[in-house]
Amino acid sequence: RDTDLETAEGETKMVFFSPKIEDWVIKIPRYSKDIDYCKIEVENYKKACEIHLEEFFAPTYFVGYFFEIPVYIQKQVFCDDSDIESSFYDWMSQSMEDERDDYNTDDDFCDAVCDATNDMCTADRLWAVFQGYVDSDKIDALFCFCNREDINDLHSWNFGYDGNTPVIVDFSGYKI
């Protein structure tokens, strides 16, 4: 029987999605150093709800165990890393605009912006993605929350859109 099941996997978890599971994705941890990163996401989502920051995160819940494997679900959102990358680039380009005259050509400036985009800190990434959607106090609160909870791996694939609103879809952080 065809399930139309698709998978994506990263360093810390596997994600299963299908049109037959319309609004949700299934997440299963890939244990890295005996850490259940999906469980950390559920805990972080609960903490975000407690301090009214849930709008920044795709809702994530523990469902139960299947043959001793923990199973989680997360609201399915549209993920487009190129759109997020564009947000990163636009943010960094605006931040570096005063330095434009320091570069010989527009291509040199664009190369410098690309290099800087690759090295963006968490605060800049959050500002780049959320600046047009919420006020600065909320973004500052989100940044403090991410720092406190070690949500430190916010690359373009870890964001998505719930409708037209950006959300973070991978918010467990990464322990080295």
Side-chain angles (χ1 to χ4, degrees):
R1 183 170 165 187
D2 188 13
T3 61
D4 295 324
L5 190 65
E6 295 183 43
T7 63
E9 63 181 281
E11 188 74 25
T12 62
K13 54 192 79 89
M14 296 179 65
V15 181
F16 301 88
F17 47 100
S18 168
K20 295 179 181 178
I21 314 171
E22 291 179 14
D23 298 327
W24 299 94
V25 298
I26 298 168
K27 288 187 161 188
I28 296 175
R30 295 181 65 192
Y31 287 94
S32 177
K33 300 178 185 168
D34 295 324
I35 299 171
D36 180 345
Y37 285 93
C38 294
K39 181 178 181 180
I40 293 170
E41 278 185 352
V42 168
E43 291 167 354
N44 283 341
Y45 183 68
K46 286 178 186 175
K47 291 174 188 175
C49 290
E50 289 169 5
I51 60 172
H52 310 291
L53 293 176
E54 65 273 13
E55 69 191 278
F56 294 106
F57 302 95
T60 306
Y61 306 98
F62 174 68
V63 175
Y65 291 94
F66 182 74
F67 291 100
E68 298 182 26
I69 298 170
V71 178
Y72 302 83
I73 58 171
Q74 183 175 79
K75 183 175 183 183
Q76 186 170 15
V77 301
F78 175 72
C79 293
D80 180 4
D81 74 314
S82 63
D83 192 45
I84 298 298
E85 284 290 337
S86 293
S87 296
F88 291 170
Y89 182 89
D90 292 345
W91 168 260
M92 191 52 66
S93 180
Q94 289 172 1
S95 298
M96 294 176 62
E97 189 60 39
D98 291 342
E99 302 168 29
R100 184 180 279 276
D101 293 338
D102 296 345
Y103 297 92
N104 295 327
T105 66
D106 284 344
D107 285 344
D108 289 344
F109 177 73
C110 289
D111 289 345
V113 170
C114 283
D115 289 344
T117 298
N118 291 332
D119 294 329
M120 287 174 76
C121 65
T122 298
D124 287 345
R125 290 175 188 268
L126 294 173
W127 275 97
V129 172
F130 294 110
Q131 69 179 341
Y133 297 91
V134 297
D135 66 43
S136 59
D137 290 342
K138 279 282 213 176
I139 298 172
D140 288 342
L142 174 62
F143 173 66
C144 290
F145 178 78
C146 288
N147 273 344
R148 187 172 52 253
E149 302 305 327
D150 277 335
I151 301 171
N152 57 6
D153 186 33
L154 295 177
H155 55 77
S156 59
W157 276 107
N158 288 352
F159 292 90
Y161 289 90
D162 186 2
N164 293 323
T165 305
V167 292
I168 303 170
V169 297
D170 183 340
F171 42 93
S172 57
Y174 187 71
K175 318 301 186 240
I176 297 174

